[in-house]
Amino acid sequence: MNKKRWRNYALWVSIVSQVLLLVQLLGHLTGLFDLTDVLKQDILAITDVILGLLATLGIISNPTKPNSGGYNL
């Protein structure tokens, strides 16, 4: 597998979001925990702020890096 693929910001954002969804699903199915609607909204708001800040700072999308396409480390 190409090592450059693992250095892609978008890949890591996607992997983290999928892992969090899996943890939420497993918690719900096993009955260990269940997120309330209010807690889901709070988590979504915090995530939006963090990702917005990272995008604004050019960390997720860095168009100034040569030959990167904007998403590579």
Side-chain angles (χ1 to χ4, degrees):
M1 189 178 255
N2 187 355
K3 287 184 181 182
K4 191 172 185 177
R5 180 174 296 176
W6 292 107
R7 296 175 54 124
N8 186 298
Y9 287 111
L11 172 75
W12 288 106
V13 169
S14 299
I15 288 174
V16 168
S17 66
Q18 291 300 312
V19 168
L20 292 175
L21 284 172
L22 180 64
V23 168
Q24 178 187 351
L25 177 65
L26 291 175
H28 177 73
L29 291 176
T30 60
L32 293 176
F33 62 90
D34 199 12
L35 298 178
T36 63
D37 288 337
V38 173
L39 187 56
K40 287 179 188 178
Q41 291 174 354
D42 291 344
I43 291 171
L44 182 60
I46 292 168
T47 304
D48 287 344
V49 168
I50 291 170
L51 290 176
L53 181 62
L54 292 175
T56 302
L57 294 175
I59 294 173
I60 293 177
S61 176
N62 184 1
T64 61
K65 189 170 182 181
N67 301 325
S68 70
Y71 292 101
N72 295 319
L73 297 171

Short mmCIF file of all heavy atoms in Angstrom, two decimals:
data_model
loop_
_atom_site.label_atom_id
_atom_site.label_comp_id
_atom_site.label_asym_id
_atom_site.label_seq_id
_atom_site.Cartn_x
_atom_site.Cartn_y
_atom_site.Cartn_z
N MET A 1 0.85 -1.17 0.00
CA MET A 1 0.00 0.00 0.00
C MET A 1 0.90 1.24 0.00
O MET A 1 1.93 1.28 0.65
CB MET A 1 -0.91 -0.02 1.22
CG MET A 1 -1.96 1.04 1.19
SD MET A 1 -3.03 0.94 2.61
CE MET A 1 -4.46 0.24 1.87
N ASN A 2 0.46 2.25 -0.70
CA ASN A 2 1.22 3.48 -0.82
C ASN A 2 1.28 4.21 0.53
O ASN A 2 0.26 4.49 1.14
CB ASN A 2 0.55 4.36 -1.87
CG ASN A 2 1.34 5.59 -2.21
OD1 ASN A 2 2.37 5.86 -1.60
ND2 ASN A 2 0.86 6.34 -3.17
N LYS A 3 2.52 4.53 0.99
CA LYS A 3 2.68 5.20 2.28
C LYS A 3 2.09 6.60 2.28
O LYS A 3 1.66 7.09 3.31
CB LYS A 3 4.16 5.26 2.65
CG LYS A 3 4.74 3.95 3.07
CD LYS A 3 6.18 4.11 3.53
CE LYS A 3 6.75 2.76 3.91
NZ LYS A 3 8.12 2.88 4.40
N LYS A 4 2.08 7.25 1.11
CA LYS A 4 1.54 8.60 1.03
C LYS A 4 0.05 8.61 1.38
O LYS A 4 -0.46 9.58 1.91
CB LYS A 4 1.76 9.16 -0.37
CG LYS A 4 1.49 10.63 -0.47
CD LYS A 4 1.92 11.15 -1.82
CE LYS A 4 1.75 12.65 -1.84
NZ LYS A 4 2.21 13.22 -3.10
N ARG A 5 -0.64 7.52 1.10
CA ARG A 5 -2.06 7.44 1.42
C ARG A 5 -2.30 7.55 2.93
O ARG A 5 -3.26 8.16 3.37
CB ARG A 5 -2.62 6.12 0.91
CG ARG A 5 -4.09 5.93 1.20
CD ARG A 5 -4.63 4.71 0.58
NE ARG A 5 -4.54 4.84 -0.87
CZ ARG A 5 -4.86 3.91 -1.72
NH1 ARG A 5 -5.30 2.76 -1.29
NH2 ARG A 5 -4.75 4.10 -3.01
N TRP A 6 -1.42 6.98 3.73
CA TRP A 6 -1.57 7.02 5.19
C TRP A 6 -1.23 8.39 5.76
O TRP A 6 -1.52 8.66 6.91
CB TRP A 6 -0.71 5.96 5.84
CG TRP A 6 -1.21 4.59 5.53
CD1 TRP A 6 -0.65 3.69 4.69
CD2 TRP A 6 -2.41 3.98 6.02
NE1 TRP A 6 -1.42 2.56 4.62
CE2 TRP A 6 -2.50 2.71 5.43
CE3 TRP A 6 -3.41 4.39 6.90
CZ2 TRP A 6 -3.55 1.84 5.70
CZ3 TRP A 6 -4.44 3.52 7.16
CH2 TRP A 6 -4.51 2.27 6.57
N ARG A 7 -0.63 9.26 4.96
CA ARG A 7 -0.28 10.60 5.42
C ARG A 7 -1.31 11.62 4.96
O ARG A 7 -1.03 12.81 4.88
CB ARG A 7 1.11 10.96 4.90
CG ARG A 7 2.19 10.06 5.47
CD ARG A 7 3.52 10.38 4.84
NE ARG A 7 3.81 11.79 4.97
CZ ARG A 7 4.88 12.29 5.53
NH1 ARG A 7 5.79 11.49 6.01
NH2 ARG A 7 5.07 13.59 5.60
N ASN A 8 -2.50 11.20 4.68
CA ASN A 8 -3.55 12.05 4.17
C ASN A 8 -4.48 12.46 5.30
O ASN A 8 -5.04 11.62 6.00
CB ASN A 8 -4.31 11.26 3.08
CG ASN A 8 -5.33 12.10 2.38
OD1 ASN A 8 -6.27 12.58 3.00
ND2 ASN A 8 -5.16 12.25 1.09
N TYR A 9 -4.66 13.78 5.50
CA TYR A 9 -5.52 14.28 6.57
C TYR A 9 -6.96 13.80 6.44
O TYR A 9 -7.60 13.43 7.41
CB TYR A 9 -5.52 15.81 6.59
CG TYR A 9 -4.25 16.43 7.10
CD1 TYR A 9 -3.42 17.12 6.24
CD2 TYR A 9 -3.90 16.33 8.44
CE1 TYR A 9 -2.26 17.70 6.70
CE2 TYR A 9 -2.74 16.91 8.90
CZ TYR A 9 -1.91 17.60 8.04
OH TYR A 9 -0.77 18.15 8.50
N ALA A 10 -7.46 13.84 5.23
CA ALA A 10 -8.85 13.44 5.01
C ALA A 10 -9.06 11.98 5.38
O ALA A 10 -10.11 11.61 5.92
CB ALA A 10 -9.25 13.69 3.56
N LEU A 11 -8.08 11.14 5.11
CA LEU A 11 -8.17 9.73 5.48
C LEU A 11 -8.31 9.58 6.99
O LEU A 11 -9.18 8.85 7.47
CB LEU A 11 -6.94 8.96 4.99
CG LEU A 11 -6.85 7.52 5.48
CD1 LEU A 11 -7.83 6.64 4.74
CD2 LEU A 11 -5.44 7.00 5.33
N TRP A 12 -7.51 10.30 7.75
CA TRP A 12 -7.54 10.16 9.20
C TRP A 12 -8.81 10.74 9.81
O TRP A 12 -9.35 10.20 10.78
CB TRP A 12 -6.29 10.78 9.83
CG TRP A 12 -5.11 9.90 9.55
CD1 TRP A 12 -4.12 10.14 8.66
CD2 TRP A 12 -4.87 8.61 10.10
NE1 TRP A 12 -3.25 9.06 8.64
CE2 TRP A 12 -3.69 8.12 9.52
CE3 TRP A 12 -5.53 7.82 11.03
CZ2 TRP A 12 -3.16 6.87 9.85
CZ3 TRP A 12 -5.00 6.59 11.35
CH2 TRP A 12 -3.83 6.13 10.77
N VAL A 13 -9.31 11.82 9.24
CA VAL A 13 -10.59 12.36 9.72
C VAL A 13 -11.70 11.34 9.47
O VAL A 13 -12.55 11.09 10.34
CB VAL A 13 -10.91 13.70 9.01
CG1 VAL A 13 -12.34 14.13 9.29
CG2 VAL A 13 -9.94 14.78 9.46
N SER A 14 -11.67 10.69 8.32
CA SER A 14 -12.67 9.66 8.00
C SER A 14 -12.56 8.45 8.90
O SER A 14 -13.57 7.92 9.38
CB SER A 14 -12.52 9.21 6.55
OG SER A 14 -12.72 10.28 5.68
N ILE A 15 -11.33 7.99 9.15
CA ILE A 15 -11.13 6.82 10.01
C ILE A 15 -11.61 7.10 11.43
O ILE A 15 -12.31 6.28 12.03
CB ILE A 15 -9.65 6.38 10.00
CG1 ILE A 15 -9.31 5.75 8.66
CG2 ILE A 15 -9.35 5.41 11.15
CD1 ILE A 15 -7.84 5.41 8.49
N VAL A 16 -11.26 8.26 11.96
CA VAL A 16 -11.69 8.61 13.33
C VAL A 16 -13.21 8.68 13.42
O VAL A 16 -13.81 8.16 14.37
CB VAL A 16 -11.04 9.94 13.79
CG1 VAL A 16 -11.68 10.45 15.06
CG2 VAL A 16 -9.55 9.76 13.99
N SER A 17 -13.85 9.28 12.42
CA SER A 17 -15.31 9.37 12.47
C SER A 17 -15.96 7.99 12.38
O SER A 17 -16.95 7.73 13.08
CB SER A 17 -15.83 10.27 11.35
OG SER A 17 -15.59 9.70 10.09
N GLN A 18 -15.41 7.11 11.57
CA GLN A 18 -15.97 5.75 11.47
C GLN A 18 -15.76 4.96 12.76
O GLN A 18 -16.64 4.20 13.17
CB GLN A 18 -15.36 5.01 10.28
CG GLN A 18 -15.77 5.57 8.94
CD GLN A 18 -17.27 5.50 8.75
OE1 GLN A 18 -17.91 4.48 8.98
NE2 GLN A 18 -17.83 6.61 8.33
N VAL A 19 -14.63 5.13 13.40
CA VAL A 19 -14.38 4.43 14.68
C VAL A 19 -15.36 4.93 15.74
O VAL A 19 -15.92 4.13 16.50
CB VAL A 19 -12.91 4.62 15.13
CG1 VAL A 19 -12.71 4.17 16.56
CG2 VAL A 19 -11.97 3.86 14.20
N LEU A 20 -15.59 6.23 15.79
CA LEU A 20 -16.54 6.77 16.77
C LEU A 20 -17.96 6.27 16.51
O LEU A 20 -18.70 5.96 17.45
CB LEU A 20 -16.50 8.30 16.76
CG LEU A 20 -15.21 8.91 17.29
CD1 LEU A 20 -15.24 10.42 17.13
CD2 LEU A 20 -14.96 8.52 18.73
N LEU A 21 -18.35 6.19 15.24
CA LEU A 21 -19.66 5.63 14.92
C LEU A 21 -19.76 4.17 15.33
O LEU A 21 -20.80 3.72 15.83
CB LEU A 21 -19.96 5.78 13.43
CG LEU A 21 -20.35 7.16 12.96
CD1 LEU A 21 -20.42 7.21 11.44
CD2 LEU A 21 -21.68 7.57 13.57
N LEU A 22 -18.70 3.41 15.13
CA LEU A 22 -18.68 2.00 15.52
C LEU A 22 -18.81 1.86 17.04
O LEU A 22 -19.57 1.02 17.53
CB LEU A 22 -17.41 1.32 15.02
CG LEU A 22 -17.26 -0.15 15.36
CD1 LEU A 22 -18.34 -0.98 14.68
CD2 LEU A 22 -15.88 -0.64 14.95
N VAL A 23 -18.09 2.68 17.79
CA VAL A 23 -18.18 2.64 19.25
C VAL A 23 -19.59 2.97 19.70
O VAL A 23 -20.14 2.32 20.59
CB VAL A 23 -17.15 3.61 19.87
CG1 VAL A 23 -17.40 3.81 21.35
CG2 VAL A 23 -15.73 3.10 19.64
N GLN A 24 -20.20 3.99 19.08
CA GLN A 24 -21.57 4.36 19.43
C GLN A 24 -22.53 3.21 19.14
O GLN A 24 -23.39 2.88 19.96
CB GLN A 24 -22.00 5.59 18.65
CG GLN A 24 -23.43 6.00 18.91
CD GLN A 24 -23.90 7.12 18.01
OE1 GLN A 24 -23.12 7.71 17.29
NE2 GLN A 24 -25.18 7.41 18.05
N LEU A 25 -22.39 2.57 17.99
CA LEU A 25 -23.27 1.46 17.62
C LEU A 25 -23.09 0.28 18.56
O LEU A 25 -24.07 -0.31 19.04
CB LEU A 25 -22.99 1.03 16.18
CG LEU A 25 -23.79 -0.17 15.68
CD1 LEU A 25 -25.28 0.17 15.64
CD2 LEU A 25 -23.29 -0.61 14.33
N LEU A 26 -21.85 -0.07 18.87
CA LEU A 26 -21.60 -1.20 19.78
C LEU A 26 -22.13 -0.92 21.18
O LEU A 26 -22.67 -1.81 21.83
CB LEU A 26 -20.11 -1.53 19.82
CG LEU A 26 -19.53 -2.13 18.54
CD1 LEU A 26 -18.02 -2.29 18.67
CD2 LEU A 26 -20.19 -3.45 18.22
N GLY A 27 -21.98 0.32 21.63
CA GLY A 27 -22.52 0.68 22.94
C GLY A 27 -24.03 0.57 22.98
O GLY A 27 -24.62 0.11 23.96
N HIS A 28 -24.67 0.97 21.90
CA HIS A 28 -26.13 0.89 21.84
C HIS A 28 -26.60 -0.57 21.76
O HIS A 28 -27.54 -0.97 22.45
CB HIS A 28 -26.64 1.67 20.63
CG HIS A 28 -28.12 1.58 20.43
ND1 HIS A 28 -29.01 2.23 21.24
CD2 HIS A 28 -28.85 0.90 19.53
CE1 HIS A 28 -30.23 1.97 20.84
NE2 HIS A 28 -30.17 1.16 19.79
N LEU A 29 -25.95 -1.37 20.91
CA LEU A 29 -26.37 -2.76 20.73
C LEU A 29 -26.13 -3.62 21.97
O LEU A 29 -26.93 -4.51 22.27
CB LEU A 29 -25.65 -3.38 19.53
CG LEU A 29 -26.05 -2.83 18.15
CD1 LEU A 29 -25.19 -3.47 17.07
CD2 LEU A 29 -27.52 -3.05 17.89
N THR A 30 -25.03 -3.37 22.67
CA THR A 30 -24.73 -4.16 23.86
C THR A 30 -25.44 -3.64 25.10
O THR A 30 -25.49 -4.33 26.11
CB THR A 30 -23.22 -4.19 24.12
OG1 THR A 30 -22.74 -2.85 24.33
CG2 THR A 30 -22.46 -4.85 22.98
N GLY A 31 -25.96 -2.42 25.04
CA GLY A 31 -26.65 -1.84 26.18
C GLY A 31 -25.72 -1.26 27.22
O GLY A 31 -26.16 -0.86 28.29
N LEU A 32 -24.43 -1.17 26.90
CA LEU A 32 -23.47 -0.60 27.85
C LEU A 32 -23.70 0.90 28.04
O LEU A 32 -23.59 1.42 29.15
CB LEU A 32 -22.04 -0.85 27.39
CG LEU A 32 -21.59 -2.31 27.39
CD1 LEU A 32 -20.18 -2.44 26.82
CD2 LEU A 32 -21.64 -2.87 28.81
N PHE A 33 -24.00 1.59 26.96
CA PHE A 33 -24.31 3.02 27.04
C PHE A 33 -25.12 3.40 25.82
O PHE A 33 -25.10 2.74 24.80
CB PHE A 33 -23.05 3.87 27.14
CG PHE A 33 -22.14 3.77 25.95
CD1 PHE A 33 -22.28 4.62 24.87
CD2 PHE A 33 -21.14 2.82 25.91
CE1 PHE A 33 -21.44 4.52 23.78
CE2 PHE A 33 -20.29 2.72 24.83
CZ PHE A 33 -20.45 3.57 23.75
N ASP A 34 -25.85 4.48 25.97
CA ASP A 34 -26.63 5.00 24.85
C ASP A 34 -26.57 6.52 24.92
O ASP A 34 -26.77 7.11 25.99
CB ASP A 34 -28.07 4.52 24.94
CG ASP A 34 -28.81 4.64 23.62
OD1 ASP A 34 -28.14 4.88 22.59
OD2 ASP A 34 -30.04 4.48 23.62
N LEU A 35 -26.28 7.14 23.81
CA LEU A 35 -26.17 8.60 23.77
C LEU A 35 -27.57 9.20 23.64
O LEU A 35 -28.36 8.79 22.81
CB LEU A 35 -25.31 9.04 22.59
CG LEU A 35 -23.86 8.56 22.60
CD1 LEU A 35 -23.16 9.04 21.33
CD2 LEU A 35 -23.14 9.06 23.82
N THR A 36 -27.83 10.20 24.47
CA THR A 36 -29.10 10.91 24.37
C THR A 36 -29.03 11.89 23.20
O THR A 36 -27.95 12.20 22.70
CB THR A 36 -29.39 11.68 25.66
OG1 THR A 36 -28.36 12.67 25.84
CG2 THR A 36 -29.43 10.76 26.87
N ASP A 37 -30.18 12.39 22.79
CA ASP A 37 -30.21 13.35 21.68
C ASP A 37 -29.44 14.62 22.03
O ASP A 37 -28.77 15.20 21.18
CB ASP A 37 -31.64 13.68 21.30
CG ASP A 37 -32.33 12.52 20.58
OD1 ASP A 37 -31.61 11.69 19.99
OD2 ASP A 37 -33.57 12.46 20.61
N VAL A 38 -29.55 15.06 23.26
CA VAL A 38 -28.85 16.28 23.68
C VAL A 38 -27.34 16.05 23.64
O VAL A 38 -26.59 16.91 23.15
CB VAL A 38 -29.30 16.70 25.10
CG1 VAL A 38 -28.47 17.85 25.61
CG2 VAL A 38 -30.77 17.03 25.12
N LEU A 39 -26.89 14.90 24.11
CA LEU A 39 -25.46 14.60 24.10
C LEU A 39 -24.95 14.48 22.66
O LEU A 39 -23.85 14.94 22.35
CB LEU A 39 -25.19 13.31 24.88
CG LEU A 39 -23.73 12.94 25.10
CD1 LEU A 39 -22.98 14.07 25.79
CD2 LEU A 39 -23.63 11.68 25.93
N LYS A 40 -25.74 13.89 21.78
CA LYS A 40 -25.35 13.79 20.36
C LYS A 40 -25.20 15.17 19.75
O LYS A 40 -24.26 15.42 18.99
CB LYS A 40 -26.39 12.98 19.59
CG LYS A 40 -26.35 11.50 19.85
CD LYS A 40 -27.44 10.79 19.05
CE LYS A 40 -27.56 9.34 19.44
NZ LYS A 40 -28.64 8.65 18.72
N GLN A 41 -26.12 16.08 20.07
CA GLN A 41 -26.04 17.44 19.54
C GLN A 41 -24.81 18.17 20.06
O GLN A 41 -24.16 18.90 19.33
CB GLN A 41 -27.31 18.22 19.88
CG GLN A 41 -28.53 17.74 19.14
CD GLN A 41 -29.80 18.42 19.60
OE1 GLN A 41 -29.80 19.19 20.56
NE2 GLN A 41 -30.90 18.14 18.92
N ASP A 42 -24.49 17.96 21.35
CA ASP A 42 -23.31 18.59 21.93
C ASP A 42 -22.03 18.07 21.28
O ASP A 42 -21.13 18.85 20.96
CB ASP A 42 -23.25 18.34 23.44
CG ASP A 42 -24.34 19.08 24.20
OD1 ASP A 42 -24.95 20.01 23.61
OD2 ASP A 42 -24.60 18.71 25.36
N ILE A 43 -21.94 16.76 21.07
CA ILE A 43 -20.77 16.17 20.44
C ILE A 43 -20.63 16.68 19.00
O ILE A 43 -19.53 17.01 18.55
CB ILE A 43 -20.84 14.63 20.49
CG1 ILE A 43 -20.69 14.14 21.93
CG2 ILE A 43 -19.78 14.00 19.59
CD1 ILE A 43 -20.96 12.67 22.10
N LEU A 44 -21.74 16.77 18.29
CA LEU A 44 -21.72 17.26 16.92
C LEU A 44 -21.26 18.72 16.87
O LEU A 44 -20.46 19.09 16.01
CB LEU A 44 -23.11 17.12 16.29
CG LEU A 44 -23.22 17.55 14.83
CD1 LEU A 44 -22.30 16.72 13.96
CD2 LEU A 44 -24.65 17.42 14.36
N ALA A 45 -21.73 19.53 17.79
CA ALA A 45 -21.33 20.94 17.82
C ALA A 45 -19.83 21.08 18.10
O ALA A 45 -19.14 21.87 17.45
CB ALA A 45 -22.14 21.70 18.88
N ILE A 46 -19.32 20.31 19.06
CA ILE A 46 -17.89 20.35 19.37
C ILE A 46 -17.06 19.89 18.18
O ILE A 46 -16.05 20.51 17.84
CB ILE A 46 -17.59 19.49 20.62
CG1 ILE A 46 -18.21 20.13 21.86
CG2 ILE A 46 -16.10 19.28 20.81
CD1 ILE A 46 -18.23 19.23 23.08
N THR A 47 -17.50 18.83 17.52
CA THR A 47 -16.79 18.32 16.35
C THR A 47 -16.79 19.34 15.22
O THR A 47 -15.76 19.55 14.57
CB THR A 47 -17.44 17.01 15.87
OG1 THR A 47 -17.45 16.08 16.94
CG2 THR A 47 -16.68 16.42 14.70
N ASP A 48 -17.91 19.99 15.00
CA ASP A 48 -17.99 21.03 13.96
C ASP A 48 -17.01 22.16 14.23
O ASP A 48 -16.34 22.66 13.32
CB ASP A 48 -19.41 21.58 13.85
CG ASP A 48 -20.36 20.62 13.19
OD1 ASP A 48 -19.89 19.65 12.56
OD2 ASP A 48 -21.59 20.83 13.32
N VAL A 49 -16.93 22.58 15.48
CA VAL A 49 -16.02 23.67 15.84
C VAL A 49 -14.57 23.25 15.63
O VAL A 49 -13.77 23.99 15.04
CB VAL A 49 -16.25 24.11 17.31
CG1 VAL A 49 -15.14 25.03 17.78
CG2 VAL A 49 -17.60 24.79 17.44
N ILE A 50 -14.21 22.04 16.06
CA ILE A 50 -12.84 21.57 15.92
C ILE A 50 -12.45 21.44 14.44
O ILE A 50 -11.40 21.92 14.02
CB ILE A 50 -12.63 20.24 16.67
CG1 ILE A 50 -12.71 20.47 18.17
CG2 ILE A 50 -11.30 19.60 16.30
CD1 ILE A 50 -12.75 19.21 18.99
N LEU A 51 -13.31 20.80 13.64
CA LEU A 51 -13.01 20.63 12.22
C LEU A 51 -13.00 21.96 11.49
O LEU A 51 -12.18 22.19 10.61
CB LEU A 51 -14.00 19.66 11.58
CG LEU A 51 -13.85 18.20 12.02
CD1 LEU A 51 -14.94 17.36 11.39
CD2 LEU A 51 -12.49 17.65 11.68
N GLY A 52 -13.89 22.85 11.86
CA GLY A 52 -13.89 24.19 11.26
C GLY A 52 -12.61 24.95 11.56
O GLY A 52 -12.04 25.61 10.69
N LEU A 53 -12.16 24.85 12.80
CA LEU A 53 -10.91 25.50 13.19
C LEU A 53 -9.72 24.91 12.44
O LEU A 53 -8.86 25.64 11.93
CB LEU A 53 -10.72 25.37 14.70
CG LEU A 53 -9.46 26.02 15.28
CD1 LEU A 53 -9.49 27.52 15.05
CD2 LEU A 53 -9.34 25.71 16.76
N LEU A 54 -9.67 23.59 12.34
CA LEU A 54 -8.57 22.94 11.62
C LEU A 54 -8.58 23.31 10.14
O LEU A 54 -7.52 23.53 9.55
CB LEU A 54 -8.65 21.42 11.79
CG LEU A 54 -8.37 20.87 13.19
CD1 LEU A 54 -8.61 19.37 13.23
CD2 LEU A 54 -6.96 21.20 13.63
N ALA A 55 -9.75 23.40 9.55
CA ALA A 55 -9.83 23.79 8.14
C ALA A 55 -9.44 25.25 7.96
O ALA A 55 -8.73 25.60 7.01
CB ALA A 55 -11.25 23.55 7.62
N THR A 56 -9.86 26.12 8.87
CA THR A 56 -9.52 27.53 8.79
C THR A 56 -8.02 27.75 8.93
O THR A 56 -7.44 28.59 8.22
CB THR A 56 -10.26 28.33 9.89
OG1 THR A 56 -11.66 28.13 9.72
CG2 THR A 56 -9.94 29.80 9.82
N LEU A 57 -7.39 27.00 9.80
CA LEU A 57 -5.95 27.13 10.00
C LEU A 57 -5.14 26.47 8.88
O LEU A 57 -3.93 26.59 8.84
CB LEU A 57 -5.55 26.54 11.35
CG LEU A 57 -6.10 27.27 12.57
CD1 LEU A 57 -5.75 26.51 13.85
CD2 LEU A 57 -5.55 28.69 12.64
N GLY A 58 -5.81 25.76 7.99
CA GLY A 58 -5.12 25.12 6.88
C GLY A 58 -4.49 23.80 7.24
O GLY A 58 -3.61 23.32 6.54
N ILE A 59 -4.92 23.21 8.34
CA ILE A 59 -4.33 21.94 8.76
C ILE A 59 -4.95 20.78 8.00
O ILE A 59 -4.25 19.89 7.52
CB ILE A 59 -4.49 21.75 10.29
CG1 ILE A 59 -3.67 22.82 10.99
CG2 ILE A 59 -4.08 20.35 10.71
CD1 ILE A 59 -3.86 22.88 12.47
N ILE A 60 -6.27 20.79 7.84
CA ILE A 60 -6.92 19.72 7.08
C ILE A 60 -6.69 19.93 5.59
O ILE A 60 -6.41 19.00 4.86
CB ILE A 60 -8.43 19.67 7.40
CG1 ILE A 60 -8.63 19.22 8.83
CG2 ILE A 60 -9.14 18.72 6.45
CD1 ILE A 60 -10.07 19.19 9.27
N SER A 61 -6.82 21.15 5.14
CA SER A 61 -6.63 21.46 3.73
C SER A 61 -5.53 22.51 3.61
O SER A 61 -5.74 23.66 3.98
CB SER A 61 -7.93 21.99 3.12
OG SER A 61 -7.71 22.37 1.79
N ASN A 62 -4.38 22.10 3.11
CA ASN A 62 -3.24 23.01 3.00
C ASN A 62 -2.90 23.22 1.53
O ASN A 62 -2.10 22.48 0.96
CB ASN A 62 -2.05 22.43 3.75
CG ASN A 62 -0.87 23.38 3.75
OD1 ASN A 62 -0.94 24.48 3.22
ND2 ASN A 62 0.22 22.95 4.36
N PRO A 63 -3.50 24.21 0.89
CA PRO A 63 -3.26 24.41 -0.54
C PRO A 63 -1.88 24.98 -0.85
O PRO A 63 -1.49 25.04 -2.01
CB PRO A 63 -4.36 25.40 -0.93
CG PRO A 63 -4.68 26.12 0.31
CD PRO A 63 -4.46 25.15 1.44
N THR A 64 -1.12 25.40 0.16
CA THR A 64 0.20 25.99 -0.08
C THR A 64 1.30 24.96 -0.21
O THR A 64 2.39 25.27 -0.65
CB THR A 64 0.58 26.96 1.05
OG1 THR A 64 0.64 26.24 2.28
CG2 THR A 64 -0.44 28.08 1.16
N LYS A 65 1.05 23.72 0.17
CA LYS A 65 2.07 22.68 0.09
C LYS A 65 2.18 22.19 -1.35
O LYS A 65 1.18 21.78 -1.94
CB LYS A 65 1.72 21.53 1.03
CG LYS A 65 2.83 20.53 1.17
CD LYS A 65 2.53 19.57 2.28
CE LYS A 65 3.70 18.62 2.42
NZ LYS A 65 3.48 17.64 3.43
N PRO A 66 3.38 22.18 -1.93
CA PRO A 66 3.51 21.77 -3.33
C PRO A 66 3.20 20.30 -3.55
O PRO A 66 3.54 19.46 -2.74
CB PRO A 66 4.98 22.08 -3.65
CG PRO A 66 5.66 22.17 -2.34
CD PRO A 66 4.62 22.57 -1.32
N ASN A 67 2.51 20.04 -4.65
CA ASN A 67 2.19 18.66 -5.08
C ASN A 67 1.39 17.86 -4.07
O ASN A 67 1.45 16.64 -4.05
CB ASN A 67 3.45 17.89 -5.44
CG ASN A 67 4.23 18.56 -6.54
OD1 ASN A 67 3.66 19.16 -7.44
ND2 ASN A 67 5.54 18.49 -6.47
N SER A 68 0.66 18.52 -3.19
CA SER A 68 -0.06 17.77 -2.17
C SER A 68 -1.54 17.59 -2.50
O SER A 68 -2.17 16.72 -1.95
CB SER A 68 0.06 18.47 -0.81
OG SER A 68 -0.67 19.67 -0.82
N GLY A 69 -2.07 18.42 -3.35
CA GLY A 69 -3.49 18.34 -3.62
C GLY A 69 -4.30 18.89 -2.46
O GLY A 69 -5.51 18.83 -2.45
N GLY A 70 -3.63 19.38 -1.41
CA GLY A 70 -4.31 20.02 -0.29
C GLY A 70 -4.62 19.13 0.89
O GLY A 70 -5.10 19.60 1.89
N TYR A 71 -4.35 17.83 0.82
CA TYR A 71 -4.77 16.96 1.92
C TYR A 71 -3.66 16.07 2.47
O TYR A 71 -3.95 15.18 3.23
CB TYR A 71 -5.92 16.05 1.46
CG TYR A 71 -7.18 16.82 1.20
CD1 TYR A 71 -7.56 17.14 -0.09
CD2 TYR A 71 -7.99 17.22 2.23
CE1 TYR A 71 -8.72 17.84 -0.33
CE2 TYR A 71 -9.16 17.92 2.00
CZ TYR A 71 -9.51 18.23 0.71
OH TYR A 71 -10.66 18.91 0.49
N ASN A 72 -2.44 16.24 2.09
CA ASN A 72 -1.38 15.33 2.54
C ASN A 72 -0.49 15.97 3.58
O ASN A 72 -0.28 17.18 3.58
CB ASN A 72 -0.54 14.87 1.36
CG ASN A 72 -1.34 14.04 0.39
OD1 ASN A 72 -2.14 13.22 0.80
ND2 ASN A 72 -1.15 14.27 -0.88
N LEU A 73 0.06 15.16 4.46
CA LEU A 73 0.99 15.63 5.48
C LEU A 73 2.33 15.95 4.86
O LEU A 73 2.75 15.40 3.91
CB LEU A 73 1.18 14.56 6.56
CG LEU A 73 -0.05 14.18 7.35
CD1 LEU A 73 0.24 12.97 8.21
CD2 LEU A 73 -0.49 15.32 8.21
#
